Amino acid sequence: MSNKTVDFWFDPACPWAWMTSRWIIEASQVRELDVRWNVMSLFVLNEPNLDELPEKYRELMPRTLPAVRVATAVAEQYDNETLGRLYTALGNRIHLGGEKDPEVYIPAALAAVGLPAELAAAGKSEEWDEALRASHQRGIGLVGTDVGTPVVAVENDEGVQVGLFGPVVTPAPQGEAAGKLWDGVYAVTTTPGFYELKRSRTNGPNFDNLTADL
């Protein structure tokens, strides 16, 4: 039996998406999964309603663009494995290292992955915006615009791709716990007519069980 392909849409700026990505990587070690990385954008998602956002989010949204632009450039020019490694390197610096300046974390992440330093220029260019918006739309088209990142999608028994926002989980489950969560996510995602399970978050992102060589 071939591995299931899991499409995962992310914006590097989102700590919850990065936490979920650590889980899906872990789940792929204990279940027969191949993760296919895709870029989405919190800026693009919120663009129609930027003026209605609280001030701190209005200021944050444009600062998320450089990383998704660079990630899109890598997605378009390199392979899935390279995009995944770049996402890991970006997350290590943004979320584990606490670095918030794209002028710092983008070059550092590119260097860590062995990618050309010149790719950092994509963060200030509109060259890849069409591809970014197309990738974003593929993901958000599966779940609707009233959610965010991450989006996780798989094929159901009929071969139709179905997706959900989330899961939102902290800390990232590891080992068989990651596999058990995947089993549940797959079950609800592929259940016809299933839409939502939710409860209020009582904790912020917890990265204590994750380590990185920065």
Side-chain angles (χ1 to χ4, degrees), residues 24 43 45 49 80 95 161:
I24 199 64
F43 177 86
L45 181 68
N49 304 301
N80 181 67
H95 305 302
Q161 191 176 45

Side-chain angles (χ1 to χ4, degrees), residues 53-63:
L53 294 177
E55 182 177 358
K56 67 176 182 177
Y57 291 114
R58 287 200 307 273
E59 295 175 352
L60 173 64
M61 287 300 110
R63 296 203 300 270

Side-chain angles (χ1 to χ4, degrees), residues 2-169:
S2 60
N3 288 10
K4 289 184 175 67
T5 297
V6 184
D7 276 290
F8 189 104
W9 276 267
F10 66 89
D11 182 320
C14 179
W16 294 104
W18 198 74
M19 185 84 66
T20 304
S21 73
R22 302 309 94 185
W23 156 72
I24 199 64
I25 290 172
E26 188 75 10
S28 72
Q29 305 303 308
V30 295
R31 296 293 187 270
E32 295 180 339
L33 306 177
D34 293 324
V35 182
R36 186 162 57 194
W37 303 104
N38 303 268
V39 185
M40 64 184 297
S41 169
L42 291 171
F43 177 86
V44 173
L45 181 68
N46 288 285
E47 193 173 26
N49 304 301
L50 279 179
D51 291 342
E52 301 172 15
L53 294 177
E55 182 177 358
K56 67 176 182 177
Y57 291 114
R58 287 200 307 273
E59 295 175 352
L60 173 64
M61 287 300 110
R63 296 203 300 270
T64 66
L65 270 175
V68 292
R69 283 171 164 168
V70 172
T72 302
V74 170
E76 292 294 304
Q77 299 178 90
Y78 294 85
D79 57 18
N80 181 67
E81 188 266 342
T82 302
L83 177 59
R85 289 194 296 117
L86 177 65
Y87 181 32
T88 291
L90 287 167
N92 284 343
R93 283 149 185 80
I94 298 168
H95 305 302
L96 296 190
E99 179 57 63
K100 302 306 180 187
D101 185 353
E103 298 282 347
V104 175
Y105 64 68
I106 289 176
L110 290 171
V113 179
L115 287 167
E118 292 77 13
L119 276 168
K124 299 179 180 179
S125 169
E126 297 180 359
E127 179 180 1
W128 303 102
D129 283 9
E130 183 177 353
L132 166 60
R133 289 176 182 275
S135 177
H136 175 91
Q137 188 54 46
R138 287 194 298 272
I140 213 69
L142 295 170
V143 295
T145 58
D146 57 342
V147 296
T149 176
V151 170
V152 172
V154 295
E155 286 189 355
N156 62 18
D157 292 340
E158 287 72 45
V160 177
Q161 191 176 45
V162 290
L164 286 176
F165 162 65
V168 176
V169 59

